[in-house]
Structure formats: C-alpha cells, structure tokens
Amino acid sequence: MSEEQKIDLMALRDRIVLARLADRPRLDREWQRLRAHQKQRSPDERALKGLHDRIEKSLQQVERLRNTTLRIEYDAELPITAHRQQVLDALQAHQVIILCGATGSGKSTQLPKLCIEAGRGVFGVIGHTQPRRIAARALANRLAQELQTTVGAAVGYQVRFTDHTSLNTRVKLMTDGILLRELEADRDLRQYDTIIIDEAHERSLNIDMLLGVLREVLKRRADLKLIITSATIDPDKFSRFFNGAPVIEVSGRSYPVEVRYRPLFADDEEGVELSLPQGVVAAVEELEKTYNGRGDVLVFLPGEKQIRECAKALKDAKLKNTEVLPLFARLTVAEQERIFASHHARRVVLATNVAETSLTVPGIRFVVDSGLARISRYSVRGKVQRLPIEKIAKASANQRMGRCGREAEGICIRLFSEEDFNGREDFTPPEILRTNLASVILKLAMLRLPDPERFGFIDPPEMKLVNDGYRLLQELKAFDEQRHITELGNNIAALPLDPRLARMLLAATHQRCLKEMLVIAAFLSVQDPRERPVEAQQQADQHHATYADARS
C-alpha cells in the first residue's frame, strides 16, 4: 500500500466525524472493513470511492442544513426571552437542562429556536416531544410560521399514521410515543443531537419510560443534549434524577386572576342541584353580565359527552354574538385548527384537559373549570384499565386557572366549593403508579432493558402492579415461568396494541379468522363508534343508518 493511499484512508476517517450523527456508525463500520482489507491485500478502489461518496453526501446535508435561512427572532413579551443567554450558556456547559416555566412563559415555542441559535439541529435533528397529537401539530405550525418556513421543511412533525418530515428537517415535533417507538430500531437515538421532553410534569407512562431510557443513552452519547421542560411542579425531582442537572426558572407571563367558587347548587333556600351543563351556562352568563360579552371563555370538561351536552345547553341559551367551539383530541385537524382562526364573535371553547398544559388557546380571558377529568386507573381486582371521571388535583386546577391570565386580567369560575378545592390531592399520581404494567414490561423486554424492578423509573411502580403485569403476560404465553420474554411475546410486542388484543390477533391468524377478529379488536380499541361529530350529527346518523340491523 503506497503512502498516498494511506493518507486517503486516514483522511476519510477524519471526515467521518464531521458527518451526520445517524450516518457515523455505518460509515465507521465501512471504514474499519476497508482498513482491515487494505492491511491484508491491495486496496479496493471501488469500495474506497463508494465510502468517499457516502461521506461527502452526509457532509453536504450538514452544510445544507447549516446554511438554511431561518428567521430567529424572539417575542420580547415572553418571559423566556429574558433568559435567552442563560439558556444558551447552559446548553453549552451542560448535557441536561431542566427548564421550569409556568403556563405562558413561551418555553414550548421558543426553546427550539434557542437550540437552533446554539448550533443544534445540524448534525442531527432537534426532537421535541409533546404528550398529545393535537399539540405536536399545532406547535409545528406555529414554529414553522415564526421561522418563516413550511411544515415538512425545516420544521416537521410526526404523529401516529402521519409523518410530515424530510431530509431538510431541523426540528421534529412528535408525540412521546413516537420517540419511544424509534428506540426499537435505534437504541441510541442517533438521528437526534438534541431532545426536548416537553410537559414532563404530566408523568405519563411514555414520559417516565423515556426519561429512564435517556438517562442511560446520555452515558453512551456525550454529543446528545437533553432539555426537560416542566410546569412549576417539583422540578427538583427531575434534577436529582439527572445527577443534579441545572434548573432554570422562568416565570409565567401572568396577570391577576380572580377566582370565584360556584358549586353546582342553585342559589336558593331549597339548594337545588344544577347539572353540569346548567352550571356552565350560568357561569358563562355571569361572565357576560360582568364584562358585557367581551373576551373568550375556556371551559374545562371531562370528556366528549359532556362537551356535546354543554354545547347543546349553550346553544339553547341563545347567547348573543357567541360562537361555541369544541376542542378534544379526536376532532379532525380542520376542526382543531378553527380555534386558532381570527374571529369577531365572543367564543366559548369547550375543551378536555388537552388545553390544560399542552396547547395554548389564543384570546382567553375567562376560564370555567368543572374540576373534573378522565383519569386512567387500573383495577388489580377487576383486571381492567378504566377511565373514570375524577376530581382533578390542586396543581391541575391551578394550571387551568393560569390559562386566563395571559393577555389581561382574568376570572376563573370553579364549579365546586373552596372547601372541596382545599381537600384535594396536591398532585395527580404519575401514571406508572396507577396503570396495568403488562405493556411496559413487554416494551422493556423487547428493548432489552432491565425489568421494572431494576429499570430507572423516577417513581418505581408498586410490586403488586408489577406482579400482576407478569401474571397477565404469562397467561398470554408472552413470558415463561422464569419471566423471560418468549418468541410469541416478541410478536405481541411488535403490534402497537394492548397485549391482550395483540394476542387475540395472533391467535386468529392460526385459527383462520383474522378478518373477523380484526373487526372485534378494532371495536375494543376505540371509543364508542356510535359517537358522532358535534358539527355533523345528522350526516353521521344517515351513514350509521346503513348498518342498522333489527337483530342487533
């Protein structure tokens, strides 16, 4: 081998470290093979040229992304803007940052821009997770608008069944479930150079699993930066979990909010109880009298059924110059986008807790809080995961209240008593402490991660829930008696379904009744299919009539 050929090969090695993070392991393996080949025999010029071309292609993409023209400007009114330099310095000095900011501080929209300014998103993508699909889509649209680009170009998003990203994407909005799924193919998340876990205080199963996995990934990847954002709910717990990571406190942009307690009892001697729709109408009418119909109202309700009932009640009340809009995760994208459109009439937005932290509804001056939400809980005795309607915790009630003090002084009407509020839990327990762990155990095993007793959860689950999860998986033949995943278990884990539904489908393939079982599994995995869109109930009834059967 000549001296010139040695230099060529060593020069390629130096260029590999300048390539995209996702490309480096593959390019490095090719380089090692070529090096071993050249030690034993004459160089393979064709392979050498192929490696050179692949390296150059990766370098060109780095250069293209670095030269992408993006408008990076910050809104001076957002509290996070005052902390711009502090965040940039922390990104330079630390691998993990905890950003603690109240609702309205601008953390979700401005953090990706700060990361771009710090030079991130060139060698890898800036991954930005959201707990809900509706928030991932809305944030991608907002960020693309602020950076003067389009969704699918420098800013993209990916949610279940929808991927609007490209080779030019620098910031990728996604649900935390998508990022967790990507771990199956890429255990070190090589395509990312920065990951933002937003709304970490929600402490969903996916968030807790991601935080545990990322703590291990960070040990293997010194080039990866992690930013965790939380509302003002116990940021020190996240800091301790990541070995004393710095906490940056960002105050929310908030005006005074007057809290009025209006429990659902009529104001008369008989103490007649009001229904929830009646209570909402009374609260909206009270706000109309106080402010003569100026300012939009955000009403927090536990579910779609209550939203439909309250929408009908408000319509029947014939409020002047008032538009009623529903907001929940199952609405079509077009229907969700309506809340961001400009309008002249006073708006009453009826929302589930999707609007509590993940999504900012513009123009809200008043909040009406039912004090209720659907909270997922597992019954060990009944072996079922339920979604009962429960009273929200104090922290959630205060999050809801903060939604109306963002643009001016606001009023929050709570449809429960002050005594009731004071008696509530401070925080909602993390999902890991109140859910069936079978799918978690299965996911950990498939990713070859430690079992739940040894995995790094912020709050370790109770042993009775762990044992119950293993029992279910053993009944499904997904795990053996020694608690090792079986081949069948790997097949179950590959399907994005509850383990029991996945097992049903796999059994159906052997029994040659897959078509029928797909219908049953689909029926069991969605909410009641007879539920109709609020705006199109008559059309829905007409379509449903096609399937009407006197025997069913």
Side-chain angles (χ1 to χ4, degrees):
M1 179 166 50
S2 71
E3 195 61 35
E4 188 182 348
Q5 285 157 355
K6 276 187 182 175
I7 292 169
D8 279 348
L9 196 56
M10 298 315 292
L12 286 183
R13 181 64 185 267
D14 292 340
R15 290 182 75 71
I16 286 173
V17 298
L18 302 174
R20 293 272 287 170
L21 291 166
D23 297 334
R24 288 180 198 175
R26 178 174 50 83
L27 295 173
D28 196 54
R29 284 194 301 272
E30 285 187 44
W31 187 91
Q32 296 287 359
R33 276 199 300 271
L34 260 179
R35 179 87 190 277
H37 184 275
Q38 289 198 359
K39 280 182 178 177
Q40 295 168 1
R41 57 183 76 87
S42 61
D44 184 340
E45 294 294 342
R46 192 172 163 190
L48 198 63
K49 184 178 185 311
L51 176 59
H52 172 271
D53 291 347
R54 281 186 283 279
I55 293 170
E56 289 307 308
K57 186 180 178 183
S58 186
L59 294 179
Q60 284 165 13
Q61 191 182 353
V62 168
E63 205 55 35
R64 189 169 66 249
L65 291 170
R66 187 180 275 127
N67 294 329
T68 306
T69 304
L70 297 171
R71 183 187 66 177
I72 299 181
E73 294 176 0
Y74 301 98
D75 184 346
E77 291 186 15
L78 290 173
I80 194 171
T81 303
H83 297 265
R84 172 180 159 269
Q85 196 57 50
Q86 188 183 359
V87 174
L88 291 172
D89 292 344
L91 262 174
Q92 187 69 34
H94 302 278
Q95 197 176 10
V96 184
I97 308 169
I98 317 294
L99 193 85
C100 177
T103 297
S105 58
K107 56 189 187 296
S108 295
T109 52
Q110 305 308 299
L111 259 180
K113 291 199 280 190
L114 286 162
C115 291
I116 291 171
E117 187 181 349
R120 312 301 293 178
V122 173
F123 293 103
V125 180
I126 299 165
H128 188 173
T129 72
Q130 290 294 318
R132 295 175 181 85
R133 284 175 283 187
I134 183 174
R137 276 194 298 259
L139 268 173
N141 286 321
R142 175 72 180 271
L143 193 57
Q145 191 180 1
E146 290 189 12
L147 290 169
Q148 287 190 336
T149 182
T150 55
V151 172
V155 177
Y157 74 86
Q158 185 179 354
V159 297
R160 199 175 188 186
F161 307 129
T162 308
D163 185 355
H164 285 295
T165 59
S166 67
L167 287 173
N168 298 321
T169 297
R170 290 188 67 176
V171 182
K172 175 181 172 181
L173 277 296
M174 63 193 139
T175 52
D176 34 42
I178 292 289
L179 186 59
L180 204 53
R181 193 101 188 140
E182 288 179 1
L183 280 162
E184 294 171 22
D186 180 10
R187 299 201 55 199
D188 285 341
L189 296 171
R190 283 268 165 199
Q191 68 166 299
Y192 301 100
D193 70 2
T194 311
I195 292 175
I196 302 167
I197 304 291
D198 210 351
E199 311 292 0
H201 59 270
E202 291 209 3
R203 299 293 306 280
S204 68
L205 268 182
N206 284 345
I207 287 173
D208 274 14
M209 283 185 72
L210 274 175
L211 293 177
V213 169
L214 285 167
R215 189 167 67 166
E216 298 307 309
V217 171
L218 289 166
K219 294 173 186 175
R220 301 191 293 270
R221 281 196 56 198
D223 53 17
L224 180 66
K225 300 281 186 181
L226 174 64
I227 304 172
I228 296 162
T229 84
S230 169
T232 51
I233 300 172
D234 204 4
D236 293 333
K237 179 173 270 192
F238 295 116
S239 176
R240 287 192 301 272
F241 188 70
F242 286 99
N243 303 319
V247 177
I248 298 175
E249 298 266 0
V250 178
S251 61
R253 174 182 61 181
S254 98
Y255 294 87
V257 176
E258 178 194 345
V259 179
R260 300 178 183 177
Y261 291 93
R262 301 287 187 265
L264 295 175
F265 289 91
D267 192 16
D268 56 32
E269 294 177 4
E270 295 178 14
V272 178
E273 189 173 348
L274 293 176
S275 67
L276 183 55
Q278 289 170 333
V280 168
V281 171
V284 171
E285 286 175 338
E286 179 183 334
L287 291 169
E288 190 174 35
K289 287 173 190 169
T290 308
Y291 279 88
N292 197 26
R294 293 195 305 275
D296 293 348
V297 185
L298 176 59
V299 183
F300 283 101
L301 297 162
E304 293 178 39
K305 178 174 180 284
Q306 291 76 22
I307 285 174
R308 281 200 303 276
E309 290 170 350
C310 289
K312 184 179 183 303
L314 287 164
K315 191 176 178 182
D316 292 345
K318 293 183 171 57
L319 300 167
K320 291 179 185 175
N321 197 35
T322 299
E323 179 186 21
V324 179
L325 285 183
L327 178 62
F328 49 87
R330 283 210 311 156
L331 286 173
T332 65
V333 176
E335 288 170 319
Q336 290 170 9
E337 293 293 333
R338 285 177 62 195
I339 67 159
F340 300 107
S342 59
H343 58 285
H344 302 293
R346 193 262 303 262
R347 264 188 184 165
V348 179
V349 179
L350 305 175
T352 57
N353 58 1
V354 70
E356 191 176 302
T357 57
S358 299
L359 199 69
T360 298
V361 181
I364 296 300
R365 287 284 304 277
F366 313 109
V367 163
V368 177
D369 182 9
S370 67
L372 303 169
R374 285 198 179 275
I375 296 174
S376 177
R377 290 198 187 272
Y378 180 64
S379 164
V380 176
R381 180 179 292 180
K383 300 285 185 291
V384 289
Q385 193 78 29
R386 298 177 301 117
L387 267 175
I389 291 174
E390 297 184 4
K391 293 179 179 181
I392 58 170
K394 288 178 186 171
S396 293
N398 289 332
Q399 285 282 339
R400 292 178 174 188
M401 178 189 73
R403 284 293 169 187
C404 64
R406 299 196 52 174
E407 297 176 9
E409 292 181 6
I411 296 174
C412 173
I413 295 182
R414 288 176 172 163
L415 302 180
F416 48 96
S417 67
E418 189 170 6
E419 185 182 10
D420 181 354
F421 174 77
N422 291 332
R424 296 186 177 202
E425 289 181 301
D426 289 335
F427 306 110
T428 307
E431 193 178 358
I432 192 78
L433 303 181
R434 52 182 170 83
T435 195
N436 173 20
L437 295 178
S439 57
V440 175
I441 295 166
L442 205 53
K443 178 73 80 177
L444 292 174
M446 196 172 85
L447 294 172
R448 298 191 297 285
L449 294 168
D451 54 43
E453 298 106 300
R454 293 180 295 119
F455 182 75
F457 284 115
I458 294 184
D459 290 292
E462 293 181 29
M463 277 312 299
K464 69 176 182 181
L465 287 175
V466 173
N467 292 333
D468 193 69
Y470 273 117
R471 259 195 307 275
L472 172 61
L473 291 169
Q474 285 165 344
E475 287 171 15
L476 298 176
K477 302 288 189 278
F479 274 67
D480 60 24
E481 292 303 314
Q482 285 71 46
R483 294 188 170 183
H484 296 139
I485 192 167
T486 63
E487 187 181 346
L488 179 60
N490 279 314
N491 292 336
I492 290 172
L495 295 172
L497 289 169
D498 179 281
R500 286 166 291 196
L501 296 179
R503 180 71 178 90
M504 283 164 52
L505 293 183
L506 291 170
T509 59
H510 294 293
Q511 301 297 330
R512 298 182 183 176
C513 56
L514 182 59
K515 186 180 176 183
E516 292 79 5
M517 196 55 74
L518 278 168
V519 174
I520 295 169
F523 183 82
L524 291 171
S525 17
V526 298
Q527 290 172 284
D528 190 339
R530 294 168 299 178
E531 290 186 357
R532 302 161 300 170
V534 179
E535 303 296 319
Q537 293 191 357
Q538 190 174 345
Q539 296 98 303
D541 286 342
Q542 288 169 0
H543 285 292
H544 288 188
T546 310
Y547 302 98
D549 191 315
R551 300 164 298 170
S552 172

